[in-house]
Amino acid sequence: MVSLASAPPVWLRDNCPCADCRDPRNGQKLFQITELPGALAVGAVHDARTPDGAPAREVVWAPDGHRSVYPEAWLGAHLPGAPAAPGDGRTEDDKELWAPDRFAGGLPEADWSAYTTDPAVRAAALDSVLRLGFVLLRGVPVRDRHVLDVARTFGYVRETNYGELFEVRVEAGPNNLAFTGARITPHTDNPYRDPVPTLQLLHCLTNAARGGDSGLVDGFHAAALLRAESPEAYEILTRVPVPFVFADEHTELRAHRPLIGTDPAGRLREIRFNNRSIGTLRLPAGLLDAFYAAYRRFAELLLRPELRLDFRLAPGDCLIFDNTRLLHARTAFAESGDRHLQGAYADIDGLTSTLAVLRREASAK
Ligand code: OGA
Ligand code: ZN
Ligand code: ZN
């Protein structure tokens, strides 16, 4: 039998599942924390059953006499001291950090027709995005704007000043180096936005130019290496807000965020790294020196060939990746050649939700 001795009364009461405390139609709480008695105490505890017959413990509360019935299974899983609480899926704790040799046996990929028809294939592909940071869909129809349909298989397109989608090809008067044949070193997109687009899709329509190979780096793995190799540099990069900026004729965007974002427990949660859009830092001279030394160290680490997964997109490939974790890159290509990708942004909350519902449906079968 589960003991309630470890449970702070206010926590236990806040989790009362009764119909007065939670709307049975949606599970949402019906009371404010301020409406609970200030000096709550567990009055009596009895063995009980839930309405569907599962073993439970009933608490009679002092001073108000309220009654709460907690399933034993819920208590076993949630009382303080129970096995570690799952995270929200976004920090390093919930990821498999990788170096490229992880994919010696092949990239995480799925065939478009299986992806769209088989929920298990779709779930495995979405799981790869959460766990490894990316998946490569193959055999996606080579059709203008189809990247938007890919995004809609798991979530919602994030429209930006670049439009619903962006064309990655050589342009006259480019407002971004991406729209030239230049090499692009590992970076995350749009760090000058807050919130940043958390997912990116790149759909290859043509890749006939010499060059233009793709690269991915696991930014969480790289940051974890920096933490181990140069703890002071890591610490500075988690602490110093960097002014990221983007401006063109119609747009002026700015976000001040550190290169390495951590959660309140200090776990890696978000990488923002883009040498093209770092503005002018305004800090005391000593801190500027320390920041630049740390920034350079992290940049050197991100350029290590042994951290970079190299591959080449072919027409019909669509790469989906976590823009808060992976850095993407491409080699230079001949501007005379034909290379055309269509990109779009989306968000990871939608993908996570789609996967959770797919899993719920699979377990209900
Ligand atoms: C971009 C980009 C990669 C590529 O457009 O942001 O990184 O392969 N493009 O062209
Ligand atoms: Zn209640
Ligand atoms: Zn990019």
Side-chain angles (χ1 to χ4, degrees):
M1 192 184 306
V2 181
S3 161
L4 300 183
S6 69
V10 65
W11 171 85
L12 195 58
R13 177 64 175 269
D14 190 40
N15 284 286
C16 176
C18 87
D20 290 333
C21 290
R22 283 167 184 266
D23 187 326
R25 294 167 298 182
N26 49 46
Q28 296 208 324
K29 277 181 191 158
L30 294 166
F31 60 91
Q32 310 287 326
I33 193 71
T34 49
E35 290 165 344
L36 296 180
L40 266 177
V42 171
V45 183
H46 313 289
D47 284 339
R49 296 264 161 197
T50 65
D52 48 11
R57 308 280 285 156
E58 182 183 53
V59 173
V60 184
W61 291 98
D64 63 353
H66 191 79
R67 286 169 183 265
S68 307
V69 176
Y70 302 95
E72 295 241 351
W74 183 88
L75 292 168
H78 293 87
L79 283 172
D88 70 357
R90 293 288 298 279
T91 77
E92 59 183 318
D93 280 6
D94 295 309
K95 309 297 187 189
E96 181 188 338
L97 307 196
W98 54 259
D101 54 6
R102 162 71 176 73
F103 305 108
L107 300 177
E109 59 179 63
D111 174 67
W112 175 250
S113 63
Y115 173 86
T116 49
T117 53
D118 182 345
V121 172
R122 196 149 66 248
L126 302 182
D127 180 66
S128 293
V129 178
L130 296 184
R131 199 163 36 82
L132 300 167
F134 72 109
V135 73
L136 185 57
L137 300 182
R138 306 268 203 190
V140 177
V142 177
R143 270 208 301 269
D144 184 41
R145 301 179 65 80
H146 194 75
V147 67
L148 302 175
D149 295 326
V150 177
R152 290 181 187 119
T153 61
F154 60 76
Y156 305 92
V157 173
R158 169 96 85 94
E159 192 172 351
T160 70
N161 56 300
Y162 301 114
E164 279 185 301
L165 60 77
F166 50 93
E167 308 282 358
V168 187
R169 64 182 166 199
V170 174
E171 282 179 8
N175 69 347
N176 194 308
L177 277 184
F179 312 139
T180 71
R183 160 176 103 130
I184 305 185
T185 52
H187 66 281
T188 64
D189 265 25
N190 291 206
Y192 40 77
R193 250 182 251 289
D194 193 20
V196 74
T198 45
L199 289 177
Q200 181 171 174
L201 297 89
L202 286 174
H203 180 207
C204 178
L205 301 177
T206 355
N207 199 3
R210 202 158 22 83
D213 289 351
S214 299
L216 289 173
V217 177
D218 183 353
F220 280 13
H221 180 218
L225 285 174
L226 184 71
R227 183 168 57 194
E229 294 176 8
S230 335
E232 331 71 53
Y234 173 86
E235 213 270 321
I236 286 167
L237 297 189
T238 61
R239 211 160 35 80
V240 172
V242 173
F244 289 104
V245 292
F246 175 87
D248 69 7
E249 197 191 339
H250 306 288
T251 309
E252 192 165 322
L253 295 161
R254 170 176 291 278
H256 291 203
R257 306 291 298 167
L259 298 186
I260 300 176
T262 53
D263 78 354
R267 295 172 293 209
L268 289 167
R269 192 178 169 87
E270 182 180 293
I271 304 296
R272 292 191 190 224
F273 193 95
N274 194 319
N275 68 297
R276 285 170 282 155
S277 48
I278 295 186
T280 303
L281 280 90
R282 308 278 303 274
L283 295 169
L287 199 47
L288 284 175
D289 274 336
F291 170 80
Y292 270 93
Y295 169 33
R296 186 184 183 102
R297 261 202 112 101
F298 192 36
E300 283 166 353
L301 215 155
L302 291 168
L303 287 171
R304 284 184 197 167
E306 69 270 23
L307 293 193
R308 173 167 164 157
L309 176 68
D310 294 304
F311 56 100
R312 185 173 176 86
L313 291 174
D317 287 349
C318 183
L319 186 65
I320 305 172
F321 59 94
D322 181 346
N323 188 52
T324 66
R325 172 182 169 194
L326 297 199
L327 294 88
H328 60 289
R330 69 148 192 249
T331 61
F333 63 92
E335 294 201 357
S336 56
D338 204 8
R339 184 178 192 273
H340 185 194
L341 315 182
Q342 285 184 327
Y345 300 115
D347 282 305
I348 209 161
D349 58 342
L351 184 150
T352 306
S353 165
T354 299
L355 177 58
V357 172
L358 282 170
R359 287 190 169 140
R360 207 199 279 164
E361 288 167 356
S363 69
K365 276 198 188 127

